[in-house]
Amino acid sequence: MQYSAKWAVMICIAVFLSVFYSGAAFAHASLIKSDPADSSVSDAAPKSVTLRFSEAVRPLVARLIHPGGHTEVLKDIGEKGDTIVFTLPDTLENGTHILSWRVTSSDGHPIGGGLVFSIGAPSTIAPSVEPQTDLAVRSGLWAARLVLMLGLVFGVGGTAFSILIAGQPVAREEWPVGGLLLAGLLATPLLIGFQGLDALGEPVRALLRWDAWSAGLFATGFGRAVVLGATALVLAYAARQTGRRIGIVLASLSLLNVGLAIASAGHAATASPTLLTRPALFLHAITATLWIGALLPLAILFKQQSFGAMLPLKRFSAAIPLIVGVLILSGLALAVVQLRTVTALWTTDYGQVLLAKLALVAALLLLAAFNRYRLTEPVLAGSKTAVRQLRRSILAEVVLGSLIIAALGLWRFTPPPRTLAAAPVASQEITANKDGLSAILSIHPPVTGAVFVEVRDIVLDGKPLEPLSVSIDLDKPSYGIGPFTRPARKTSAQRYRADGFVLPLDGFWVVRVTVLVSEFRSVTLTDVFDIAKATR
């Protein structure tokens, strides 16, 4: 193996391990008392909210969400050491109010929290909050993801085609494939940064702060997915630099990492039943990468019009029916799970993105069928006219494939119709793992409004664990709401429950479960619940 390939693999392994074995350190100011108390109900409207912390803090922002859904930023803020006082409006309505606050610790690190209080009686339905969007952050998030995905599909897919299907040494003329691998790697840190901004609800200028990068890497499963994607890019680069035998191994590992990256985070990856959706997403990602990724090397081969292009074309033509078959079946399974109804195709944002994708895929299939059944035989027979037509058609497929990848990035901002179903399931369940500790987390019901979170089957190093305590945070940092923290009470053996959460907004909510394993050790499990809108 060449030195560059060895270094690439070593760096890849080091980064991979650092992400999966790193732990976050949290040691900042904490809220010790509030007035009114969290989840309290009073007959009269309070004049202010007082928060008392364990050390001196400075206020950053406070948003009050009214029972009707109107969000108001509180301007009248008093601060005195460890105490913050938010003056409330004089015209508070009856019902449930949600206060979301952020302050800065003495070490400069921002922390946030949420407080729920009701006047008269709790609202029967949680307020519906208008999303707060930052177009620059969302555009950066979409663009960085697009470049990374182009690197994965065309870079890894092109490498896999050349080494695994064509069975030929990587030609020097295939530099665009290597260039896309490099572009994908360059986009990786940017994507991590924008994911952090999206998670914290911060503007682009917050890229200068470490907490934005830390959140992008560790706050949700998207950080793990990005690292897996970067690992795939490095492995593909190494495969292109080494001999055939090791190249086959590295290219295969690179392709597997693409499947793992796509299947490790996102709407479809967390959809129930995950025993169906995650394998389907894994197969969908790998087959799409093999199909679309093969197009660029094929176009380059036929640009040279050499006899060496014929064998790869024969092998690709033989393999493509199976690849497309698995791609379509896995895609259908995912669409059924996510859509639930046919009408969701045109009545939801998610469905409209899927319609656009299906139109592009249909055009791609038509071109592929034309290439295979009308042009392949004349090309193999030596027709130069057919070779020119085939190359132009393949380049058109490259454009269509790129548009499909661009459209898929929009799903990052649209909840799937299954989360908007009129009759949502009673609970949503996920399994979280960290540092040898695993537990099953569930939220009841997974819709906006009052919910409770349950933790059960806590296992440490393969053995059941009865922890000293369990506390649960629910947080929607991309909208500056939360975290809402509740201690969990033991309801039975291996089962803990935290009540009193009120979720005002659908979409992803980050859940953090802190398990006190012993007097000297705690482990925090982090994952994401996908919350649907409540129906009125």
Side-chain angles (χ1 to χ4, degrees):
M1 186 186 299
Q2 295 181 4
Y3 285 118
S4 57
K6 288 181 180 178
W7 275 106
V9 173
M10 290 173 65
I11 292 171
C12 170
I13 293 172
V15 172
F16 188 88
L17 292 177
S18 69
V19 168
F20 284 93
Y21 291 95
S22 294
F26 299 98
H28 305 289
S30 58
L31 180 70
I32 58 177
K33 188 178 181 181
S34 70
D35 183 21
D38 193 19
S39 303
S40 63
V41 180
S42 60
D43 294 331
K47 300 295 184 184
S48 62
V49 171
T50 302
L51 305 179
R52 186 180 172 195
F53 295 87
S54 58
E55 61 179 55
V57 296
R58 296 190 63 183
L60 290 174
V61 66
R63 296 185 179 94
L64 180 67
I65 303 171
H66 293 259
H70 170 59
T71 299
E72 183 176 4
V73 177
L74 302 181
K75 302 291 186 183
D76 192 352
I77 304 174
E79 57 177 302
K80 188 175 181 180
D82 61 356
T83 303
I84 302 292
V85 179
F86 301 104
T87 301
L88 297 174
D90 295 330
T91 55
L92 291 182
E93 317 94 309
N94 282 351
T96 298
H97 295 71
I98 300 171
L99 177 69
S100 183
W101 51 264
R102 291 191 181 278
V103 301
T104 305
S105 296
S106 56
D107 61 1
H109 195 286
I111 59 173
L115 178 71
V116 178
F117 63 93
S118 300
I119 302 171
S123 301
T124 55
I125 297 176
S128 175
V129 180
E130 289 297 322
Q132 302 167 27
T133 59
D134 186 325
L135 185 60
V137 172
R138 294 197 163 202
S139 300
L141 185 61
W142 176 83
R145 183 189 182 280
L146 173 62
V147 177
L148 176 61
M149 288 301 297
L150 290 175
L152 290 175
V153 174
F154 287 107
V156 174
T159 301
F161 168 78
S162 298
I163 296 176
L164 302 179
I165 295 179
Q168 294 184 342
V170 176
R172 183 172 299 176
E173 290 75 12
E174 290 185 22
W175 62 265
V177 176
L180 285 167
L181 288 173
L182 179 60
L185 277 174
L186 292 175
T188 299
L190 275 178
L191 181 54
I192 291 172
F194 277 106
Q195 283 184 169
L197 297 180
D198 186 50
L200 296 177
E202 297 284 357
V204 173
R205 63 176 179 274
L207 280 174
L208 299 176
R209 294 184 355 220
W210 164 246
D211 62 312
W213 298 90
S214 177
L217 196 54
F218 299 113
T220 71
F222 289 112
R224 183 173 52 213
V226 172
V227 172
L228 285 169
T231 304
L233 295 171
V234 175
L235 288 170
Y237 171 79
R240 300 174 70 82
Q241 307 300 316
T242 188
R244 175 170 168 73
R245 290 185 178 178
I246 297 177
I248 290 175
V249 174
L250 295 178
S252 301
L253 289 174
S254 175
L255 195 59
L256 288 174
N257 266 270
V258 173
L260 291 174
I262 303 298
S264 65
H267 293 299
T270 55
S272 181
T274 54
L275 286 177
L276 166 68
T277 53
R278 287 188 173 174
L281 198 54
F282 177 83
L283 292 174
H284 200 66
I286 285 186
T287 48
T289 301
L290 280 173
W291 178 20
I292 299 176
L295 300 175
L296 199 51
L298 275 173
I300 293 171
L301 283 173
F302 282 105
K303 182 180 180 182
Q304 305 166 43
Q305 299 192 6
S306 65
F307 181 75
M310 300 307 167
L311 182 58
L313 179 61
K314 281 184 181 178
R315 291 182 172 179
F316 181 71
S317 297
I320 196 62
L322 176 62
I323 292 173
V324 173
V326 175
L327 180 73
I328 292 175
L329 288 176
S330 56
L332 280 174
L334 292 170
V336 169
V337 170
Q338 295 287 61
L339 286 176
R340 300 292 173 89
T341 62
V342 176
T343 56
L345 272 172
W346 55 86
T347 58
T348 65
D349 292 341
Y350 186 98
Q352 289 166 11
V353 172
L354 179 57
L355 275 180
K357 177 198 169 187
L358 290 177
L360 293 167
V361 170
L364 195 59
L365 283 170
L366 286 175
L367 275 178
F370 179 74
N371 294 345
R372 189 171 191 276
Y373 298 110
R374 297 296 299 271
L375 296 179
T376 297
E377 284 193 12
V379 168
L380 294 176
S383 170
K384 292 186 178 180
T385 302
V387 168
R388 286 194 295 273
Q389 289 179 339
L390 180 61
R391 184 168 181 273
R392 285 197 293 268
S393 181
I394 290 175
L395 288 175
E397 288 184 89
V398 170
V399 173
L400 286 172
S402 302
L403 291 175
I404 290 172
I405 296 168
L408 291 180
L410 299 176
W411 271 341
R412 178 70 171 75
F413 313 107
T414 57
R418 67 175 167 78
T419 67
L420 309 177
V425 294
S427 66
Q428 181 184 141
E429 192 171 276
I430 53 180
T431 301
N433 303 275
K434 186 179 180 184
D435 296 343
L437 183 79
S438 68
I440 297 176
L441 320 179
S442 56
I443 188 165
H444 310 253
V447 297
T448 53
V451 303
F452 70 86
V453 176
E454 195 170 66
V455 183
R456 62 179 172 84
D457 298 340
I458 304 174
V459 175
L460 178 65
D461 298 329
K463 298 179 181 177
L465 173 73
E466 290 292 343
L468 298 181
S469 69
V470 177
S471 68
I472 298 172
D473 291 352
L474 282 178
D475 191 7
K476 194 170 182 61
S478 57
Y479 295 101
I481 301 175
F484 300 98
T485 303
R486 303 286 185 275
R489 58 185 171 83
K490 187 175 181 178
T491 56
S492 62
Q494 283 282 296
R495 193 178 288 266
Y496 296 80
R497 169 172 166 164
D499 299 278
F501 294 106
V502 179
L503 307 186
L505 196 65
D506 62 303
F508 286 152
W509 279 79
V510 178
V511 56
R512 280 181 289 273
V513 176
T514 301
V515 179
L516 189 58
V517 174
S518 67
E519 292 182 355
F520 307 102
R521 183 188 176 194
S522 66
V523 178
T524 300
L525 304 172
T526 303
D527 215 305
V528 174
F529 285 127
D530 203 352
I531 303 300
K533 286 181 180 176
T535 56
R536 295 174 185 271

